Amino acid sequence: THTHAHTAPTSLGHLIGLDAHDVGGYEPGTARDTRSGYKSLRLQRVLQTGMVMTVEPGCYFIDWLLDAAISDPKLSPFLVLDRLEQFRGTGGV
């Protein structure tokens, strides 16, 4: 159901290099996955020795993503609506 994509849209981390969000997260020629829950991944490759990455799981309560999940009959059974409403507007946690 890709329920995670509505509260953790950026996945778990990214490579660290010359820039805070290093661009090496994809092998050259690799197309980004466009499926919900995968299209915002910053890292989709086999890690090699010497690569450094963050581990920064974030939970985001973005109104339009929450609204989309709540209105989706495939996702809404997995949501605890009163708990989600408690966190609306808090941004990233």
Side-chain angles (χ1 to χ4, degrees), residues 7-89:
T7 56
T10 60
S11 74
L12 295 176
H14 55 81
L15 291 176
I16 299 173
L18 298 175
D19 190 3
H21 295 99
D22 198 26
V23 297
Y26 287 82
E27 294 282 354
T30 302
R32 285 187 179 259
D33 194 326
T34 59
R35 293 176 296 163
S36 176
Y38 298 91
K39 62 184 175 186
S40 296
L41 290 176
R42 294 184 178 146
L43 179 67
Q44 189 173 348
R45 66 175 299 157
V46 175
L47 295 176
Q48 303 294 320
T49 301
M51 288 182 168
V52 180
M53 66 173 291
T54 65
V55 178
E56 52 180 66
C59 192
Y60 299 87
F61 302 96
I62 301 167
D63 285 333
W64 69 270
L65 286 174
L66 293 177
D67 293 339
I70 291 167
S71 66
D72 186 327
K74 291 181 182 177
L75 296 177
S76 60
F78 299 100
L79 305 175
V80 181
L81 300 181
D82 58 330
R83 295 296 287 169
L84 282 177
E85 292 303 324
Q86 286 181 314
F87 294 103
R88 269 194 197 266

